[in-house]
Amino acid sequence: MTDLDPEASLHGRLRASILGLDLAPGQRLSERGLEPELGASRTPIRAALMRLESEGLVRRDGRGWLVAPIDLDEIAQIAEFRELVETGAVRLALPRARREDLLALADLADSADETGTPEHSLHTGTSFHLELAHLAENAELFAALQGILTRLFRTRWLEVQSTESRERVRREHSAIAAALLAGDADAAERALLEHLRGTHDRLALALGSRRREFAARGIPIDGAGLASR
Amino acid sequence: MTDLDPEASLHGRLRASILGLDLAPGQRLSERGLEPELGASRTPIRAALMRLESEGLVRRDGRGWLVAPIDLDEIAQIAEFRELVETGAVRLALPRARREDLLALADLADSADETGTPEHSLHTGTSFHLELAHLAENAELFAALQGILTRLFRTRWLEVQSTESRERVRREHSAIAAALLAGDADAAERALLEHLRGTHDRLALALGSRRREFAARGIPIDGAGLASR
DNA sequence: CCTCGCGGTCTGGTATACCAGTATGGTATT
DNA sequence: AATACCATACTGGTATACCAGACCGCGAGG
């Protein structure tokens, strides 16, 4: 998100490896071990790790680093915080956004074609939420949502695996945009919450029940995961 | 906040220098220039700067580093985002907090003695808001507020300069705690918003009008600062 | 056979030397 | 006197060598 070409910087490459699950959640990383793979020396690798740490994608583990584990309890907390941030975005955006901005947002929501790839759907969905936050014209809120979406990225791909869920997301995004266009803040907030909660509940359910399957693929999933509210 | 003794780590020392305005906002920093003052080599200094960058206390300026300037527009945005976060904290904390936790919070609010030092009042106030956020039992929300308060720290000291404002803050904190104890979420949210908005408006007014005075002390203040909402 | 201890090999942390790009100031030339 | 150019002294970026502490395994002794 910072670099146009993810291959450009060490940080971008490591980030892509983590978000793409090429580096398994919970896996330990060593600065020297990454040297040959990244073709760089420890100094820039350390810088990249520190930056990824501040993004929540990597953690310090006593002596050593580890790819941020996927923890259902943590995801539930992030999702809860996200509700706060995004409903705030809706309330702030409505009086501030120009009609043409809202129309563009609606176009963006509709542009998520269910025939597209999961990656495309994920990207469009991310853009929709970020664009909505952008309309709130508050840089802090925008940055907060950006961080949230980054940290949820590795699990969000699950929700766009089936064409049905992609279509459902598209429909819910459109409903949010439509309520905003109608100037109905309450309806927009309701539609948003329905979207976020439904998405999160399905996600938590899928992650929790398929824990063994993921573990077999080298992706441990921590936390209790009784995540519905 | 990270280290018990701010003098312990390079990061803590630099942080204290910035928050204490020993390093003027907007001042350029060079890694090598900090070496003699901090008695360390570039590597750990760079690490500290990168960490401070992620906290928003330091910025990159092309080639080079900059102590984060004080910008009224930015402060207004942070304050707006803070309203979102803290009202969310109130709504989440109320059903989750035990009565004894709320009593402790009320004690904390009342413990801000107007005869104390400004530093003590500032510290108590910080603790009050953080403790309130803690009761929401959401680590993301807590971390967000922690970052917000850090970034507002350099200007928040203004609001505790006079004994009247210290007393006002104490009273408003007590009112928030009382509403929480009464289980009245709406009243608590109203009291909180009144507190935050009043504080911010007085702050923006003071900062805006005394811009020249601060400039004479080497503290430039950017932004338009028509900050009331 | 079990246990205690020591040594090798990891880890990140630090200091430092070198690189390349840039901004600046002084000087020489017109 | 003004301007253009070049030398120099910065900047952060990188690679690397060395340090101290921790962990693990192996071997010796009980």
Side-chain angles (χ1 to χ4, degrees), chain A residues 30 32 42 46 65:
Chain A
S30 92
R32 286 180 171 95
R42 283 181 65 205
R46 279 203 95 193
W65 301 87

Side-chain angles (χ1 to χ4, degrees), chain A residues 168-180:
Chain A
R168 167 183 250 147
V169 165
R170 191 199 62 72
R171 203 180 331 118
E172 291 176 351
H173 283 181
S174 293
I176 296 167
L180 284 172

Side-chain angles (χ1 to χ4, degrees), chain B residues 166-184:
Chain B
R166 287 203 290 277
E167 171 57 17
R168 167 184 250 148
V169 164
R170 192 199 60 73
R171 203 180 331 117
E172 292 175 349
H173 283 181
S174 294
I176 295 167
L180 284 172
L181 262 175
D184 189 339

Side-chain angles (χ1 to χ4, degrees), chain B residues 79-160:
Chain B
E80 183 177 81
F81 185 55
R82 180 185 178 182
E83 288 185 7
L84 221 83
V85 171
E86 289 217 54
T87 54
V90 164
R91 285 197 297 271
L92 290 176
L94 201 43
R96 293 178 183 177
R98 297 171 306 178
R99 178 166 180 81
E100 57 195 274
D101 295 326
L102 294 177
L103 284 170
L105 188 69
D107 280 349
L108 186 58
D110 292 329
S111 79
D113 189 346
E114 67 271 21
T115 64
T117 64
E119 289 75 21
H120 176 258
S121 174
L122 189 50
H123 180 261
T124 305
T126 302
S127 299
F128 175 81
H129 288 277
L130 282 180
E131 190 53 37
L132 173 52
H134 185 68
L135 295 180
E137 293 176 2
N138 185 302
E140 304 300 316
L141 189 154
F142 183 83
L145 184 62
Q146 207 167 11
I148 287 168
L149 293 183
T150 296
R151 296 185 58 185
L152 293 179
F153 189 92
R154 290 182 299 178
T155 54
R156 270 193 309 139
W157 69 271
L158 269 176
E159 68 189 72
V160 290

Side-chain angles (χ1 to χ4, degrees), chain A residues 4-78:
Chain A
L4 280 74
D5 180 5
E7 302 294 319
S9 64
L10 271 192
H11 167 248
R13 280 199 285 161
L14 257 180
R15 180 194 169 93
S17 295
I18 294 172
L19 293 181
L21 296 177
D22 298 323
L23 293 173
Q27 180 177 149
R28 297 204 60 196
L29 299 175
S30 92
E31 299 174 358
R32 286 180 171 95
L34 289 170
E35 276 189 43
E37 181 175 351
L38 296 175
S41 72
R42 283 181 65 205
T43 314
I45 288 177
R46 279 203 95 193
L49 286 171
M50 287 193 278
R51 203 160 150 197
L52 290 168
E53 182 190 21
S54 76
E55 298 179 66
L57 297 181
V58 140
R59 299 215 185 125
R60 304 195 107 101
D61 169 43
R63 73 201 149 282
W65 301 87
L66 75 92
V67 178
I70 294 181
D71 183 311
L72 292 179
D73 298 329
E74 182 185 319
I75 290 176
Q77 291 207 344
I78 298 177

